[in-house]
Amino acid sequence: MLEISYIRENKEHVIERLAHRGFDGREVIEKIATADENRRKVQTTLDRNLAEANQMARKIGELFKSGQKDEANALRAQTGELKESNRQLESEMHAYEQELKELLYHVPNLPHQLVPTGKTAEENELLKGGGEMPQLGQDALPHWELAQKYQLIDFELGVKISGAGFPVYTGQGARLQRALINFFLDQARDAGYREIQPPLVINEASGYGTGQLPDKEGQMYHLERDDLYLIPTAEVPITNLFRDERLSHKEFPVKLTGYTPCFRREAGSYGRDVRGLNRLHQFDKVEIVQVAHPDASYGILDEMVEYVKSLLDQLELPYRVARLCSGDLGFTAALTYDMEVFSAAQQKWLEVSSISNFETFQANRLKLRFKDEHGKSKLAHTLNGSALALPRIVAALLENNQTEQGIRIPKALVPYTGFEWIN
RNA sequence: GGAGAUUUGGCAGAGUGGUCGAAUGCACCGGUCUUGAAAACCGGCGUACCGAGAGGUACCGGGGGUUCGAAUCCCUCAAUCUCCGCCA
């Protein structure tokens, strides 16, 4: 959520930056400005009236105490009118506040200067990647066939017990999952991230805090009976740890990591790249989250990108980095880097990580503040990234490392899998 | 799931209708004293919003109500604790 004070003072700039994103914000920003002005006007009047009412009440008390009963009752009779108008002003102010909040909830974050202009993922800015492209033979199999051949993943069984998009991992396939999770968590810990094991369901307030609600409601599984949501990413519970918190600048940087399954309804994306592990309703992911001083957040974003690269290097996967263009940028992000690995049998680049700086967009909703060097209270910056999401990593590992004698496990993973080959 | 108790500032804890944004202690910050520190003493010390400022308003778990006036009374929701039941 953008800060109202910022919008108030930089209206044209905000509209211009939103336009860069392909978001026509003129009308809504004007509405916001009007609602804000109205709210303030009403509050000024209301505050003055409340002050008057307070004074009268005090006087009545004094009169009663000193035994001037008639005077007190006379004054008491006068309060009705003021009270009624205050009641009205109060509900008026409440309505403006509500309107303002509703409007603000639907305005996306302002893209950072580095965000390239573009409409679709095609226009993302490709940056230097790494790793070597594998040379596979003609008979190379896609991962869903390899998964079947080596009995690593059973998609049909998943359909039976849950539905499409809920695979069952078996044998070496299950062990590979566990190995990757442990590998990623250990790496994160070595990089200074503190491990968190958060709840997998969240309440409504948390959904609002990180920006899943109100807009992406349809993307989350909702447990109606208890009004809870299954997390779509660990970002939500971990970032919400800081909701309504006030940090000291001395605590920065706050670095947290956590492994969780992620649940996504993926409504509307059926039929597109859904084969095998490419798109699932439940998948595993290790997430990294940072809460940072605003002056440091972009340095930290770069550092997080470098960190994720180091993971891909160790997994010996060819990857590229994309700076998301304005059209592809998520609602809450100011700047996002996507990491994609090449899945050689499918001949496709698969997104395995998304690393973003949200600046104060989430912090404003979360009321996540810190006290700076001068004791002033300010909103912090929040960042997060996948490090990493498993399914597409597994897809690439299986496809890229297939040989006649089986699938080779990268060296860095062997201590975690306990086997060098899948065969 | 049932019954009872509780929820006040960073923490502890007073406050049962008026002068309470809230005693007191601890913690914290500044000062005096001291070579320095501790102790002692003095002073300060919540958040948000409105206002150019003076100042004002709101907030005592959340929401609503009664009243001229609510931390205090009523309703409701939530959380915590104790006991009972059920259960990994």
Side-chain angles (χ1 to χ4, degrees):
Chain A
M1 187 159 71
L2 297 177
E3 294 166 72
I4 184 64
S5 56
Y6 188 83
I7 295 177
R8 200 184 291 152
E9 284 155 32
N10 306 277
K11 217 162 74 178
E12 288 309 314
H13 177 249
V14 167
I15 291 168
E16 185 264 309
R17 291 312 292 164
L18 288 174
H20 185 57
R21 212 191 226 284
F23 183 92
D24 181 5
R26 183 158 296 278
E27 199 181 324
V28 70
I29 294 298
E30 288 301 341
K31 276 188 190 165
I32 285 170
T34 307
D36 176 49
E37 211 173 299
N38 287 336
R39 197 213 97 233
R40 285 189 293 155
K41 217 182 287 172
V42 172
Q43 191 186 336
T44 307
T45 317
L46 175 62
D47 281 0
R48 203 172 42 227
N49 287 9
L50 284 173
E52 197 183 326
N54 284 344
Q55 243 170 26
M56 284 171 91
R58 221 165 292 152
K59 206 173 211 166
I60 291 168
E62 278 164 25
L63 288 172
F64 269 123
K65 221 158 228 181
S66 62
Q68 296 166 271
K69 229 174 155 187
D70 294 342
E71 288 88 337
N73 280 325
L75 198 53
R76 203 157 65 154
Q78 290 174 32
T79 58
E81 206 178 312
L82 189 60
K83 221 175 130 182
E84 185 47 41
S85 92
N86 282 352
R87 212 190 288 268
Q88 264 176 37
L89 285 169
E90 232 158 62
S91 78
E92 211 175 309
M93 188 164 97
H94 191 72
Y96 283 131
E97 266 171 357
Q98 212 41 43
E99 184 192 349
L100 194 57
K101 208 156 84 177
E102 273 314 307
L103 291 167
L104 283 170
Y105 272 141
H106 293 94
V107 177
N109 203 353
L110 304 183
H112 185 267
Q113 292 300 329
L114 280 174
V115 172
T117 310
K119 283 198 166 66
T120 67
E122 318 292 292
E123 292 164 87
N124 291 341
E125 186 182 343
L126 289 178
L127 307 174
K128 219 178 86 184
E132 280 181 31
M133 298 295 270
Q135 303 300 318
L136 298 181
Q138 289 283 340
D139 51 351
L141 299 174
H143 68 270
W144 51 88
E145 285 181 32
L146 292 165
Q148 189 172 34
K149 179 174 171 187
Y150 296 106
Q151 296 182 34
L152 304 174
I153 305 167
D154 196 321
F155 292 98
E156 283 77 30
L157 262 185
V159 169
K160 181 174 84 174
I161 61 169
S162 302
F166 293 93
V168 176
Y169 301 87
T170 57
Q172 282 185 304
R175 290 172 67 189
L176 178 59
Q177 292 289 112
R178 192 152 52 85
L180 283 165
I181 292 163
N182 283 331
F183 171 68
F184 291 144
L185 284 173
D186 283 355
Q187 289 288 313
R189 191 189 51 206
D190 289 348
Y193 292 89
R194 186 170 136 85
E195 187 172 340
I196 300 289
Q197 196 175 94
L200 306 183
V201 296
I202 48 129
N203 57 27
E204 193 180 47
S206 296
Y208 274 93
T210 32
Q212 279 66 33
L213 296 175
D215 273 347
K216 285 180 266 178
E217 184 133 32
Q219 293 301 330
M220 287 193 288
Y221 288 97
H222 184 206
L223 311 173
E224 273 184 47
R225 197 185 169 104
D226 297 293
D227 198 16
L228 295 167
Y229 297 85
L230 295 188
I231 58 169
T233 156
E235 163 195 346
V236 180
I238 293 181
T239 310
N240 270 282
L241 257 25
F242 297 94
R243 179 149 46 85
D244 294 321
E245 291 293 325
R246 178 114 133 253
L247 302 168
S248 154
H249 67 278
K250 290 177 203 149
E251 294 173 71
F252 289 139
V254 175
K255 303 173 74 172
L256 301 176
T257 185
Y259 152 71
T260 69
C262 302
F263 303 92
R264 299 186 181 179
R265 294 189 62 235
E266 298 292 357
S269 54
Y270 290 103
R272 253 182 61 215
D273 298 331
V274 294
R275 290 227 53 191
L277 294 171
N278 290 346
R279 189 175 299 275
L280 301 172
H281 287 307
Q282 178 183 330
F283 64 94
D284 296 294
K285 178 160 64 65
V286 171
E287 184 81 359
I288 51 176
V289 172
Q290 293 213 35
V291 181
H293 191 289
D295 296 344
S297 68
Y298 279 96
I300 285 172
L301 182 65
D302 290 341
E303 173 200 307
M304 287 167 84
V305 170
E306 288 308 311
Y307 170 71
V308 173
K309 281 185 188 173
S310 78
L311 297 178
L312 295 170
D313 284 334
Q314 290 183 79
L315 293 176
E316 303 165 36
L317 290 170
Y319 65 88
R320 63 183 192 185
V321 183
R323 181 142 57 206
L324 295 196
C325 75
S326 49
D328 206 24
L329 192 65
F331 186 82
T332 52
L335 181 60
T336 297
Y337 293 97
D338 269 6
M339 314 289 281
E340 300 174 332
V341 298
F342 192 68
S343 201
Q346 299 183 75
Q347 291 284 305
K348 266 185 188 154
W349 289 96
L350 302 178
E351 181 195 330
V352 292
S353 177
S354 194
I355 307 158
S356 305
N357 187 352
F358 305 94
E359 298 189 0
T360 59
F361 194 84
Q362 292 182 328
N364 191 30
R365 291 182 171 210
L366 293 161
K367 295 202 177 63
L368 163 51
R369 294 171 226 272
F370 72 100
K371 242 185 182 154
D372 72 7
E373 303 76 9
H374 313 290
K376 249 186 94 178
S377 187
K378 287 182 179 165
L379 292 172
H381 281 194
T382 59
L383 305 94
N384 68 49
S386 342
L388 287 157
L390 298 225
R392 295 173 188 164
I393 290 287
V394 170
L397 281 177
L398 297 184
E399 292 184 12
N400 297 11
N401 297 332
Q402 57 185 300
T403 71
E404 280 174 15
Q405 56 210 290
I407 296 164
R408 188 183 60 81
I409 300 295
K411 267 200 204 74
L413 263 189
V414 172
Y416 290 90
T417 54
F419 50 81
E420 291 175 47
W421 292 90
I422 291 173
N423 48 28

